[in-house]
Amino acid sequence: EFPGSAAEPTSVSSKHMSLPQLHASAKEHSSALRGLLSELSLSETAANQSPEVLALTVQITRHLALLSDAVGQIRAAARFAVPAERPLWLRRVRTLTDSLTSFQAELAAYSALVAREQEAQNRDQFFAQLVEERDGVSAQQRSADGLRVRQGPALTVSDVSRQLDEMLEQGGAALTDLRVQGDRLKATRRKLLDISTRLTVGGRTLSRIARMETSNCIVVGVGCAMSLFIFFGVRHLLHS
């Protein structure tokens, strides 16, 4: 375990855990995620990925999955809670859902930052390589030109044509490399946008489900009240 990192996450998938136990486990994962994301924000990014940073990312992903599982179990178990405690558990579900959405957004933002820095690093390396190749070709060309000046007559038309063809071929190869690099960068950007969209849709779905749970509880409560009112009214009419 690396210094400052959270403990190894434990599974909360047991169906025999009570609501308080599930809530305590979810709070534990939420606290661990808060610490891990804070540590990740202070660590190095794409320019120099260390094993510690990669381990942090793996732990964050596992905690997110376990927290999501715990929230789903609490939401399902809250339906069978005591009516007096049901609103409390629904509020806790909404709070945990908001925290989960926030953690997912932070991880997506960090991933986007890493991708941008990696893109900039790749672009700088590519252009640095082009400059080195150009400087190497220029040095060889100057050496060859000096040798021809010392050894023989001036360049013929065929020599000039051949050199122009070589320069065009080198320029075409450079343009091809740039197009390939641009396509890779576009594909990376599309993948990041897709991940961000999925996380946003997931958060909205969880929030919508929480609101539907509240509406269902209200409808059930009103139905129970109406049933009791009709029952006691009929009973009163039968006895009167």
Side-chain angles (χ1 to χ4, degrees):
E1 187 175 330
F2 298 105
S5 61
E8 191 71 17
T10 57
S11 176
V12 296
S13 61
S14 175
K15 296 182 179 179
H16 301 290
M17 295 180 70
S18 63
L19 270 173
Q21 290 174 328
L22 287 170
H23 183 256
S25 180
K27 294 286 287 183
E28 178 183 352
H29 291 301
S30 180
S31 177
L33 280 167
R34 193 173 292 107
L36 289 170
L37 286 169
S38 176
E39 188 174 352
L40 185 65
S41 65
L42 299 176
S43 62
E44 298 176 349
T45 51
N48 188 12
Q49 284 278 326
S50 62
E52 289 81 1
V53 173
L54 296 177
L56 281 175
T57 306
V58 172
Q59 290 188 56
I60 290 171
T61 303
R62 295 183 63 184
H63 275 292
L64 281 174
L66 293 173
L67 177 59
S68 178
D69 182 55
V71 172
Q73 291 190 56
I74 294 172
R75 181 181 296 106
R79 300 177 181 176
F80 307 101
V82 178
E85 297 180 357
R86 194 172 300 153
L88 171 63
W89 286 110
L90 291 177
R91 286 196 300 271
R92 288 178 175 176
V93 167
R94 286 194 295 270
T95 301
L96 290 172
T97 301
D98 293 340
S99 299
L100 177 61
T101 304
S102 176
F103 294 146
Q104 290 172 337
E106 287 187 42
L107 182 60
Y110 177 81
S111 300
L113 175 62
V114 169
R116 287 196 299 270
E117 293 192 358
Q118 187 66 52
E119 178 182 342
Q121 185 183 50
N122 292 339
R123 186 173 57 250
D124 292 342
Q125 291 177 353
F126 176 74
F127 284 114
Q129 183 178 0
L130 284 181
V131 171
E132 291 178 358
E133 292 177 355
R134 185 198 62 189
D135 292 343
V137 171
S138 299
Q140 294 176 1
Q141 188 66 37
R142 286 195 299 270
S143 176
D145 291 343
L147 182 62
R148 280 193 293 269
V149 168
R150 290 192 301 270
Q151 291 181 352
L155 295 175
T156 63
V157 175
S158 60
D159 293 333
V160 174
S161 178
R162 185 176 61 255
Q163 292 179 8
L164 289 175
D165 291 338
E166 292 175 354
M167 293 175 63
L168 289 174
E169 290 178 0
Q170 293 173 1
L175 289 176
T176 302
D177 291 339
L178 285 174
R179 280 196 296 269
V180 172
Q181 188 71 16
D183 293 338
R184 290 178 181 174
L185 295 177
K186 289 179 181 178
T188 302
R189 186 179 292 108
R190 283 195 298 270
K191 290 180 181 178
L192 290 173
L193 290 175
D194 182 57
I195 292 173
S196 178
T197 302
R198 290 182 181 178
L199 291 175
T200 303
V201 172
R204 291 177 180 174
T205 303
L206 291 175
S207 300
R208 190 178 298 110
I209 292 174
R211 289 195 296 270
M212 290 176 63
E213 290 290 340
T214 304
S215 302
N216 291 339
C217 290
I218 294 174
V219 172
V220 171
V222 172
C224 292
M226 290 295 294
S227 300
L228 290 174
F229 178 76
I230 294 172
F231 172 75
F232 284 110
V234 172
R235 182 179 179 184
H236 177 71
L237 290 175
L238 294 175
H239 285 80
S240 59

